[in-house]
């Protein structure tokens, strides 16, 4: 990085020295073309970033997918017995809303996902702080959690059913496990990635433990925390889809499982769309909070 900056500055000085009016022949003695020509550094400069952000640009992809789906259904490329068209799905969603069936199942699913997310985030952060700020905590916690990362939470489903039964406790626990591992891995990596120079500076300033955590640890770990939170939100919805099809009597997944038995693809798609909307909206909410909290950073994301 230092060599790149040095070369850039040297090139800039060379281009500046060679520019008209800087040295040598006065400006009036040079041809008009030379006086009007822009500096070489401006004409050869290329933009390497992703470009300027477009408001609501992330909606372009989903809108294109829906448009393609609508077109394929309208021209008869899609068999309605296998995949219902958008018009049929909208009509089915309207019927489910008018009967109250969709709202009831959505509310229960949100409660499960929210409970698992809250439990998983708090557990993952506590474990990451314990392992990241203490050698004893690292030796005791990091090994088992790294092993747990290699074991999918859904693979533990039979054991959790054996321990906790098939009620709400088991469902929330499965969701929380997936969230906690993502939170721990990313927050712990961010904590241990803090430059040791900041720690030495805090020691030289004789900061207390609380001041060190507030002024060094928290700002340094926030980027990893938000990455883990985004992954945790996604993990909560993935876990919810599975647990709601295990002897559930309510929820979006249960509604989809019942529709599968009667070959109601429109109801299944309504459930998938609901999952997609909640997942997209929750990720967008986390992104908005991240941009607000980390507004001091200048990144490619803008």
């Amino acid at each position: 990085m230092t060599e790149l900056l040095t070369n850039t500055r040297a090139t800039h000085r060379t281009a500046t020295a060679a520019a008209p009016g800087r040295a040598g022949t006065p400006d009036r003695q040079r041809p008009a073309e030379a006086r009007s020509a822009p500096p070489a550094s401006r004409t050869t400069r290329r933009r390497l970033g992703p470009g300027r952000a477009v408001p609501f640009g992330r909606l372009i992809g989903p809108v294109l997918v829906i448009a393609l789906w609508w077109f394929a259904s309208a021209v008869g490329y899609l068999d309605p017995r296998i995949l219902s068209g958008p018009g049929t799905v909208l009509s089915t969603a309207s019927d489910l809303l008018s009967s109250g069936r969709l709202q009831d199942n959505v509310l229960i699913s949100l409660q499960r996902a929210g409970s698992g997310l809250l439990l998983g985030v708090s557990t993952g952060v506590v474990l990451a702080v314990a392992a990241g700020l203490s050698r004893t905590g690292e030796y005791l916690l990091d090994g088992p959690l790294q092993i747990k990362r290699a074991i999918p939470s859904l693979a533990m489903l039979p054991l959790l059913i054996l321990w906790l039964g098939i009620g709400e406790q088991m469902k929330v626990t499965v969701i929380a496990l997936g969230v906690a591992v993502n939170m721990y891995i990313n927050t712990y990596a961010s904590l241990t990635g803090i430059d040791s120079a900041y720690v030495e500076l805090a020691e030289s300033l004789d900061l207390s433990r609380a001041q060190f955590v507030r002024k060094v640890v928290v700002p340094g770990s926030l980027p990893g925390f938000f990455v883990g939170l985004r992954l945790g939100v996604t993990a909560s919805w993935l876990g919810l889809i599975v647990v709601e099809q295990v002897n559930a009597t309510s929820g979006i997944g249960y509604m989809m499982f019942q529709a599968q038995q009667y070959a109601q693809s429109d109801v299944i798609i309504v459930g998938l769309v609901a999952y997609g909307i909640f997942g997209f909206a929750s990720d967008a909410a986390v992104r908005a909070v991240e941009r607000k909290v980390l507004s001091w950073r200048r990144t490619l994301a803008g």
Side-chain angles (χ1 to χ4, degrees):
M1 179 65 74
T2 304
E3 182 180 356
L4 178 61
L5 292 175
T6 303
N7 294 337
T8 304
R9 290 168 182 165
T11 304
H12 179 70
R13 285 197 298 268
T14 303
T16 303
R22 293 288 183 178
T25 307
D27 230 12
R28 61 178 179 272
Q29 298 180 10
R30 293 183 178 272
E33 294 82 359
R35 292 198 303 269
S36 61
S41 60
R42 292 185 181 178
T43 58
T44 60
R45 182 180 178 182
R46 292 182 298 175
R47 296 185 61 88
L48 302 178
R52 184 172 298 177
V54 178
F56 306 103
R58 287 189 174 87
L59 294 176
I60 296 176
V63 169
L64 288 178
V65 171
I66 294 175
L68 181 61
W69 174 30
W70 207 304
F71 173 78
S73 176
V75 298
Y77 286 158
L78 295 178
D79 187 349
R81 295 172 299 179
I82 299 176
L83 183 61
S84 300
T88 305
V89 173
L90 288 176
S91 177
T92 301
S94 177
D95 294 339
L96 292 172
L97 286 171
S98 60
S99 64
R101 181 183 170 192
L102 183 59
Q103 299 94 304
D104 294 340
N105 288 314
V106 164
L107 181 60
I108 293 173
S109 293
L110 289 177
Q111 290 175 347
R112 289 170 179 159
S115 300
L117 181 65
L118 181 61
L119 179 60
V121 168
S122 56
T123 302
V125 170
V126 169
L127 293 175
V129 171
L133 300 183
S134 169
R135 290 297 181 188
T136 303
E138 180 183 10
Y139 297 152
L140 293 177
L141 298 175
D142 188 59
L145 286 167
Q146 295 293 343
I147 295 174
K148 169 61 189 71
R149 182 179 64 160
I151 302 175
S153 299
L154 301 181
M156 300 182 63
L157 193 58
L159 189 60
L160 292 174
I161 292 176
L162 182 63
W163 288 349
L164 304 175
I166 58 174
E168 292 298 312
Q169 188 178 3
M170 180 273 297
K171 296 177 176 59
V172 172
T173 301
V174 171
I175 297 172
L177 282 174
V179 175
V181 172
N182 284 294
M183 290 301 306
Y184 170 81
I185 295 298
N186 290 278
T187 307
Y188 172 76
S190 189
L191 277 172
T192 54
I194 295 176
D195 196 330
S196 59
Y198 295 114
V199 181
E200 296 172 359
L201 178 61
E203 292 173 349
S204 65
L205 294 175
D206 198 22
L207 296 183
S208 65
R209 190 70 171 178
Q211 290 175 323
F212 171 69
V213 171
R214 180 168 56 87
K215 296 184 178 181
V216 178
V217 173
V218 172
S221 62
L222 278 178
F225 168 81
F226 279 108
V227 172
L229 184 58
R230 290 183 59 194
L231 294 175
V233 168
T234 302
S236 68
W237 292 110
L238 292 176
L240 179 68
I241 295 173
V242 175
V243 298
E244 286 192 334
Q245 298 184 26
V246 180
N247 277 345
T249 58
S250 58
I252 302 175
Y254 168 75
M255 183 182 70
M256 295 169 60
F257 182 73
Q258 292 295 107
Q260 176 197 349
Q261 296 181 348
Y262 298 100
Q264 296 174 320
S265 65
D266 50 346
V267 177
I268 296 175
I269 296 175
V270 169
L272 291 175
V273 170
Y275 279 132
I277 290 175
F278 290 131
F280 187 87
S282 56
D283 183 73
V286 174
R287 281 174 177 268
V289 175
E290 181 182 12
R291 285 194 298 269
K292 186 71 173 179
V293 175
L294 302 180
S295 57
W296 48 269
R297 293 196 311 168
R298 293 179 60 87
T299 64
L300 291 178

